[in-house]
Amino acid sequence: MYIDSHCHLDFPDLAANIDSVLASMHQHQVDKALVVSVCLEDWPGLIQLVEAHDALYASVGVHPGYDTVPEPTFDDLFERARHPKVIAIGETGLDYFRLEEPLDWQRRRFALHLEVSKQSGLPSIIHTRNAYADTLAIMREADSTVGGVMHCFSEDWDAAKQALDLGFYISLSGIVTFKSAHQVHEVAQKVPLDRLLIETDSPYLAPVPYRGKTNQPAWVVHVAERIAQLKGLSAAQVAQASTHNFYQLFTKTHTL
């Protein structure tokens, strides 16, 4: 019924308890989860985990916050993208929150991922923090028809509208359940239902009522419930729409 479109089940806290994590998913009617790559050094463990469980998909990419890892090449990403269970490129993007200029390496890495997305036909998973103008500029320059998703969206409605105009989906996380997240609430109300995804970003950003705990895909239900309240819909309507949207965007799933 539900799909968690972005989580990190290969991270130690979750991987060590994967059986209970998957059981909780099943109990809460979370049928699938996309396990998102952050660096190639950890990718073998990620893909081994995903291969072992029918409920899991994978991506391949290097997170913009990873500044001490070797830079990926086109072939590094493209060849891994051929794996049957890899349905997306990323997580990629820009993050100016922790790191300081010069960040040309980060912008080049982002552009490379978008080129791999274009050539592989797999959509991009975009991370952006304190860098929205540059993120959009590079997306426009890439001029890809493949599209993707703005993950864990926390910008305002104007920023969301620009991403939507480029053909991207908007994914909302547990942040939408936080009382102080007013601009995310506005985005949840305004984003078209046919362009919406839901996620946990596990193990981070646990939604209310679990805030501060280790997040897990089962709790994506609370994200859907809060979006439903803001839109004046039922949680089932949000679940149905976001699940449909997931399969519309990640078309490689149709072959699995």
Side-chain angles (χ1 to χ4, degrees), residues 140-177:
R140 290 191 183 99
E141 186 174 348
D143 193 28
S144 174
T145 59
V146 179
V149 56
M150 310 304 292
H151 120 83
C152 194
F153 195 83
S154 60
E155 303 288 338
D156 61 16
W157 169 244
D158 179 66
K161 182 67 166 54
Q162 293 182 65
L164 291 167
D165 288 345
L166 289 173
F168 280 70
Y169 288 70
I170 301 295
S171 181
L172 299 179
S173 69
I175 292 173
V176 77
T177 69

Side-chain angles (χ1 to χ4, degrees), residues 90-220:
E91 144 178 24
T92 185
L94 300 177
D95 193 322
Y96 297 170
F97 178 73
R98 180 176 63 86
L99 303 174
E100 297 180 355
E101 295 286 358
L103 292 174
D104 291 339
W105 62 268
Q106 199 179 87
R107 292 182 279 271
R108 287 192 298 269
R109 182 188 292 177
F110 182 24
L112 173 68
H113 280 73
L114 293 178
E115 182 62 22
V116 174
S117 170
K118 183 188 298 187
Q119 296 299 325
S120 67
L122 300 182
S124 301
I125 300 170
I126 308 296
H127 167 108
T128 182
R129 191 172 187 188
N130 290 17
Y132 207 77
D134 284 357
T135 300
L136 284 169
I138 293 173
M139 289 164 59
R140 290 191 183 99
E141 186 174 348
D143 193 28
S144 174
T145 59
V146 179
V149 56
M150 310 304 292
H151 120 83
C152 194
F153 195 83
S154 60
E155 303 288 338
D156 61 16
W157 169 244
D158 179 66
K161 182 67 166 54
Q162 293 182 65
L164 291 167
D165 288 345
L166 289 173
F168 280 70
Y169 288 70
I170 301 295
S171 181
L172 299 179
S173 69
I175 292 173
V176 77
T177 69
F178 301 170
K179 289 182 179 180
S180 60
H182 302 300
Q183 69 180 17
V184 177
H185 298 164
E186 181 184 11
V187 169
Q189 290 171 327
K190 292 183 176 180
V191 65
L193 193 58
D194 64 355
R195 302 289 292 283
L196 173 71
L197 296 178
I198 56 176
E199 66 170 271
T200 61
D201 202 14
S202 306
Y204 311 115
L205 298 173
V208 174
Y210 299 106
R211 194 169 180 183
K213 298 183 181 297
T214 300
N215 203 359
Q216 58 175 299
W219 295 346
V220 78

